[in-house]
Amino acid sequence: IVWLDLNAIDTDNGTQASPFATLDEALFYVAPAGTIKALPSSTPETAILSKPMTIEAQGGVVRIGTQ
């Protein structure tokens, strides 16, 4: 499991206590068939998913590809 908070400061390791701050980081570090748990936030980032994974919103709306 990799954690993502698009509002976080970029000094993170992908844990729940210190989630990644960018979608690219989370996508890079998530294992094939793994899970990204994303905290409520939004990003204009877009991505191509190159491996199977689950992206779960945790506690609110997560918008990817929009502000």
Side-chain angles (χ1 to χ4, degrees):
I1 294 174
V2 171
W3 286 82
L4 173 65
D5 181 355
L6 299 164
N7 297 321
I9 297 171
D10 198 16
T11 56
D12 38 34
N13 62 12
T15 63
Q16 185 174 7
S18 187
F20 289 126
T22 68
L23 179 59
D24 283 342
E25 281 181 300
L27 293 173
F28 181 81
Y29 286 103
V30 69
T35 300
I36 296 173
K37 293 194 176 208
L39 298 169
S41 51
S42 65
T43 181
E45 286 182 276
T46 59
I48 295 173
L49 306 182
S50 59
K51 56 189 166 188
M53 70 186 70
T54 301
I55 301 174
E56 296 178 358
Q58 299 292 303
V61 175
V62 177
R63 289 190 172 93
I64 296 173
T66 186
Q67 274 296 61

